[in-house]
Amino acid sequence: MSAHARRLALLMAVVLALVSCGDDTADDDALGDPFETVERALPDEDAPERAAPRWEEILTVSGDGPATEEFPIPEDVLQWRVRYRCDEGQLQMGLDTDADEPLLDAECPDEGEAFSIETGIIELGIEASGPWEATIEQQVDTVHEEPPLEGMDQAEVLATGEFYGVERSGEGTATLYRMPDGELALRFTDFQTVASPDLFVWVSESDEPMTSEDVFEVPHVDLGVVTTTFGTQNYVLPDDVDPEQIGSIVIWCAPLQIAYAAAALQP
């Protein structure tokens, strides 16, 4: 099987694996009661440990005429894309291996994205007759290791807790910091939950939620989409969050309205 075929097969497998949290077209009756505790989807010990696919920026470039950009795409990348915007004229981008068919051919003004599964050293040829901007991103499902925030080594630890499964599995540690500038920040270390899209980080007033209902019925602050389902990551909390009101950190699946995992924070 060629490298292209293998990567396409992997992408199809990823799509099929991620419908557990991201498919909002499923039959409502098939979903069952969102507050009924379900059997936890514990990870297969023999399965490779992969995160839910995420996009990482490689570089952003701009110009007002022709250009050539070169960048590496590792073999383990699922795919990569160019997100572009142009103001006037014509914009065309192509690979040195794709001379007969450009990656994109746009009549400006326009904006959009184009995808590729080519790997190695990529030479992106750009033909333009007006101003343009492009961001190149790669999609990966590897472990994400985000470094500590600046000043976190001098920050005060306010609380910490271990992740546990609620409706799905959860592992790792959540630590709440008071940063030197007064901001509150969270850091997940050795974190892992089921690889799914549409997962969000909630700062909850629930002290030790054991069901989705425990989380749903109390106030929370949404910190946004989970950076990665496997690895180390940081989050900065809004200024109006009172650390005394934080009972737990919850990983919430928005489409299914269930709590995947939680960490009860203790001083």
Side-chain angles (χ1 to χ4, degrees), residues 12-27:
M12 288 300 298
V14 166
V15 170
L16 292 173
L18 295 183
V19 297
S20 59
C21 187
D23 185 3
D24 58 4
T25 63
D27 186 345

Side-chain angles (χ1 to χ4, degrees), residues 53-111:
R54 64 185 182 276
W55 289 100
E56 297 181 341
E57 182 176 331
I58 300 174
L59 77 160
T60 295
V61 292
S62 61
D64 57 6
T68 301
E69 295 294 334
E70 193 173 89
F71 50 89
I73 297 293
E75 285 288 336
D76 60 356
V77 166
L78 299 177
Q79 60 180 331
W80 59 273
R81 68 184 177 188
V82 178
R83 295 193 295 111
Y84 69 90
R85 179 180 62 82
C86 58
D87 296 333
E88 60 184 37
Q90 197 80 13
L91 176 65
Q92 188 177 93
M93 297 187 184
L95 310 181
D96 55 358
T97 58
D98 250 349
D100 295 335
E101 186 174 342
L103 190 64
L104 67 91
D105 191 354
E107 186 173 335
C108 308
D110 192 26
E111 61 181 48

